[in-house]
Amino acid sequence: RRSHLAAVLLCLLGYSSLGMAVDRSKFRTCSQTSFCRRHRENHSSRLYQYRLDLQSIHFHVMEKNSSEADKASLWKSLSKRILGHGGADDADPYVQGPPPTLTGLLHNTAPETSTGKEETLHWSVHAMADGLVRMRITETGMPARVTYDELILTADAMAPAEHALWIRPEEHSGVLSQVVAQDQVSNHMALQYGDANDQHGMLLLIRLDPFAVYLYRESDLNAGPIVSMGVADMMHFEVRRPKDGEAAKEEEEIAPEEKEEETEENPEKEIVGYWEDGLAIYADGTREERKEVKEEEHRHLTETELDRDGLWEESFGSHHDSKPYGPMSVGIDISFPRSSHVFGLPEHASSLELKATLGERAHYSDPYRLYNLDVFEYELDETMALYGYVPLVVSQSVATGTCGVFWFNPTETFVDVMSDGSDNGKTTHWISESGIIDTFLLPGPTPGDMYRQYAILTGTAPVPPMFSLGYHQCRWNYKDERDVYQVHSKFEELDYPYDVLWLDIEHTDGKRYFTWDENLFPHPAEMQQKLASQGRRMVTIIDPHIKRDDGYPIHKEATSKGLYIKDKDGKKDYDGWCWPGSSSYLDFTNSKVRSWWADQFGYNKYQGSTSTLFTWNDMNEPSVFNGPEVTMQKDLRNLDGVEQREWHNLYGILFQRATGEGQIRRNQPDEDVRPFVLTRSFFAGSQRYGAIWTGDNAAEWSHLEIASPMLLSLNVAALSFVGADVGGFFGNTDAELMTRWMQAGAYQPFFRGHAHHDSNRREPWLFGDETMVRLRRAAMARYALLPFWYTVFREAEATGMPVMRTMWMQYPQVESLFATEDQYMIGSCLLVKPVTAPNVVQSTVQFPIVDTWYDVDTMKVISASGKGEKAVATITVKSDIDKIPVYQRGGSVIPRKLRLRRSAMLMKNDPYTLYVALDKDEVASGNLYMDDEESFGYGRRGEFAEASFSADLKNGSISNAVHVGPGWVPIVDGLKSHRMVERIVIMGVKKSPKTIAGGEGGTIDFEYDSTSKVLVLRKPLVSALEPWQITIG
């Protein structure tokens, strides 16, 4: 049977290359999803009208200097009196972070409720340091719904506000009257909170009936709120209730029609497998045909109709969801007054700016869907869900600055975006299948402030090992060790830099992960060691599906220990289909399972692995070829008995987390190697665990064009270490497209070339010598900038700011740049405009004239002019096949390494060249971060240093100030010779100096080009690890 299936698969391998088009019959829309259909466009609004009970409000005060024990005791006492039980843990064992500042009860005052009974909800507000505020709404009278603070939030970094004041309707009417009409003051209360010295002072205004909240900055109350919730009366919370007779009858009436679909299209044919698109493979070598997509699955409801279809059970195609707990959806409207630009909600193959999904100006007809899925051959300009999910929306406005909302709910979610086209702002409507209403408001007001606040909640990206910032060469699949050595040798022969060679699923023994095909890869450790001796690493793929084979030790042990996800009854191990065929899936929500998985990376268990082997986590949405929407059924259970619908979107991040822990845990006493793990699926906080790529793109110009918006959207969500596969995964690329993609990829954080097994081989030398030279030049530009990339990643870890930045992150007051998605910044210094269309010889670049700009190739200043600091000069520049437009911002200093090497490791001790771009005042500054580039020493032992370069040509000086970490202080003198500056290039110098002195050699040789206005200092004999000053006379 196995050999027959293999033969069938071989016959079908060419299928995916025949054309790019998603099978829409496999994926639900809002109209095919009961909870979204039920609550979209106010269809259920008459069932949900909320009033905050003023008499139930309690203000919780913490003593500033009390011990942790005193704080816990006080909160427990208050909780017992207010909530009627033993404490916060008893009330909601899942919540972490600062305790609430205000608590109360929300009453549903609708004449008719969804349960037909009185509905009451718990409401709490948690005022936090740095202006953050959290609002949670939960059920009363029953066990808390499962939430995942422990797995996602960095609770240790979250602190309460240092002071808070509850303003009742009858008190401090002066404050309330500033923001509320006098006749409405009695219907409002407020919470003032902030940090010491009134920093980050905020005002949370609360409307009692109907319930709504508004967040103001105290420094500018008259400007109005920066974000509001519930103003459009779209809040709903489906409380749990027993399935009554009427509901059962309704489902019985619906069920026969739905269950007719459960019959297979060809029941007489034997199914021997499934392909990644979810279609069946039959024993006769044929495959299931795609079904025609029905235009309208459900009739459009009027505003007065209620949709009860799918409340208690639901079907999609042949798959049935038992929904044992019935309807549990939650949602609310979140508005950004006076803002016309909102961003975020990755991952979608759509524009950077979120476009309207409702209203006359709607660009899309369906909401943005957030549900991690393996969407085979995804299409562009769509709101369809893709591989990852970050429920963060960021608003950027000249009037209100930068602010964000983090909707902390990992269940399937739809988000509508609405705008009336006026200055009244943007409104988003969030509808989640389950969970609770748990929102964090991030007040900004600058991009840097907001990303610092978001980092408090979900953490920052650690500095990756330097090799991972180099070029990665991948293919499905390099066939055997001989193929690996031939590819590696050709890179060596051509002096083409690369750092990592990847192996896809075919390197394993029959798709059994942690194994090697002994015929194809008989000496894996030796292979890794040979490549490592020349500065290279390797990556192997390890997916979450485990082949159900009792002779496979991983499966046998996981089964015996009971580590797998269960069926809907919680009894049998779930059986799904993926690359190995019949597969089981580990429960990564369980800490013991994650620990067990990490242990599998030990050298004694992962035979043939070494410290230079790293990991690629694919298919971790998770992908299940024969499951609903090519994933798991929602009513499956984890080991705690919790349904998959509650944690589906966390599976990818937890899988990557456990894999990274495995790489750390495998370290021997003499090893201290940082992990590198690439993932396809992600959630908020994935920045802490490694890199992400945009999945199975295509070798088409449109996919190159969409790469920048998709990567920028990921960075908006603080996911910095991201990339799109160079060349496109599906299909074949020609020399021009490959050249443009390599040029673009060199300026994206994660830089990998990859291809499908049906695609032609596309190693750089296969496009001819002329193209190879262009591709190598693009890669060399990347390698020269590795010190700069490394420094920007260090900044991201320290501050939370993204690495690949939208133009508005650098220029938050230049509104004409807010929606720009075809150019971007790397850090604050480089402006990049990839060429994404064929036959291009010129490009249009937008230059903010508040700064001076220099072409990185010619080093000449760009002549840009305009009126006012918010002006933008739109300039046509040269961009023929040898040129990608890249510009250095005036006022910056960028470190490079210019000696051609074949890998990042071989560049480790090479000297630096500093590129100084003077601003209009002839001043520039910049940093260089240094450590050993591979270990945890920088964080654990303070083994690092940071150089701060400053140039002031008016005063004739260039200097360096150094901060050396405590771990490097004893050895810094021995390191100085390996961190030398061999050249300083200064752009924008108005005239040639007479003398230049400094460093150890006294007079410094220099050259000045009066045409380009570039001054070059040669061999200044200074180290980046010591302070120095050079005088220009």
Side-chain angles (χ1 to χ4, degrees), residues 804-874:
M804 182 178 176
R805 301 176 186 172
T806 63
M807 294 301 294
W808 59 258
M809 292 180 189
Q810 184 68 24
Y811 300 97
Q813 291 298 309
V814 184
E815 188 165 12
S816 60
L817 293 175
F818 287 0
T820 299
E821 61 182 15
D822 59 355
Q823 66 180 57
Y824 52 85
M825 301 291 296
I826 302 299
S828 62
C829 301
L830 286 182
L831 188 158
V832 182
K833 174 67 181 279
V835 177
T836 59
N839 306 315
V840 170
V841 295
Q842 292 182 324
S843 296
T844 300
V845 182
Q846 299 180 80
F847 294 99
I849 68 162
V850 68
D851 283 318
T852 305
W853 298 94
Y854 298 87
D855 186 303
V856 298
D857 296 317
T858 67
M859 293 181 284
K860 292 182 179 180
V861 68
I862 300 300
S863 178
S865 61
K867 295 182 179 180
E869 291 192 348
K870 297 182 181 180
V872 172
T874 301

Side-chain angles (χ1 to χ4, degrees), residues 35 75 326 504 529 589 1006:
F35 76 89
W75 168 235
D504 211 317
Q529 290 160 0
T589 67
F1006 67 90

Side-chain angles (χ1 to χ4, degrees), residues 970-998:
I971 62 172
V972 70
D973 288 339
L975 297 173
K976 288 179 181 178
S977 63
H978 299 302
R979 299 291 190 276
M980 297 299 291
V981 176
E982 68 172 351
R983 187 183 298 105
I984 302 175
V985 179
I986 310 175
M987 293 169 272
V989 179
K990 295 180 179 179
K991 62 181 181 178
S992 177
K994 296 179 179 178
T995 61
I996 300 179

Side-chain angles (χ1 to χ4, degrees), residues 230-414:
V231 175
D233 297 327
M234 295 181 181
M235 177 179 157
H236 77 272
F237 198 117
E238 293 181 331
V239 300
R240 287 170 287 182
R241 82 296 299 262
K243 187 173 183 179
D244 56 29
E246 182 180 350
K249 182 179 178 182
E250 288 173 356
E251 291 300 334
E252 287 175 4
E253 292 173 353
I254 297 167
E257 179 182 332
E258 292 181 335
K259 291 177 181 177
E260 287 177 2
E261 298 183 29
E262 294 186 18
T263 304
E264 293 292 342
E265 183 179 347
N266 292 289
E268 72 282 358
K269 290 190 175 185
E270 179 187 2
I271 296 176
V272 296
Y274 296 85
W275 194 241
E276 189 179 3
D277 55 9
L279 296 175
I281 302 169
Y282 300 118
D284 63 2
T286 61
R287 59 179 291 138
E288 180 185 355
E289 294 183 1
R290 294 186 178 188
K291 297 181 178 67
E292 182 180 351
V293 181
K294 297 178 182 179
E295 288 294 323
E296 195 68 46
E297 293 289 337
H298 292 266
R299 68 188 180 85
H300 186 74
L301 300 174
T302 68
E303 291 184 4
T304 60
E305 290 181 301
L306 297 177
D307 183 355
R308 301 187 183 279
D309 181 7
L311 283 174
W312 290 95
E313 57 181 306
E314 191 169 9
S315 294
F316 181 67
S318 62
H319 301 282
H320 185 70
D321 181 2
S322 62
K323 301 179 78 168
Y325 302 106
M328 295 175 62
S329 175
V330 300
I332 199 169
D333 55 280
I334 301 175
S335 299
F336 301 91
R338 298 172 59 196
S339 174
S340 300
H341 305 276
V342 290
F343 308 87
L345 299 183
E347 183 177 33
H348 298 94
S350 57
S351 60
L352 167 64
E353 184 174 14
L354 298 178
K355 295 180 179 178
T357 59
L358 283 176
E360 293 182 1
R361 299 170 180 260
H363 181 80
Y364 301 115
S365 59
D366 227 44
Y368 288 90
R369 188 184 182 201
L370 298 169
Y371 191 62
N372 294 355
L373 293 171
D374 177 3
V375 181
F376 187 75
E377 299 179 339
Y378 64 80
E379 295 179 358
L380 310 184
D381 196 25
E382 291 285 347
T383 58
M384 292 178 68
L386 284 178
Y387 311 106
Y389 169 4
V390 180
L392 173 73
V393 166
V394 178
S395 163
Q396 183 61 38
S397 166
V398 172
T400 58
T402 311
C403 64
V405 173
F406 176 44
W407 174 264
F408 183 36
N409 185 320
T411 70
E412 181 183 2
T413 298
F414 288 86

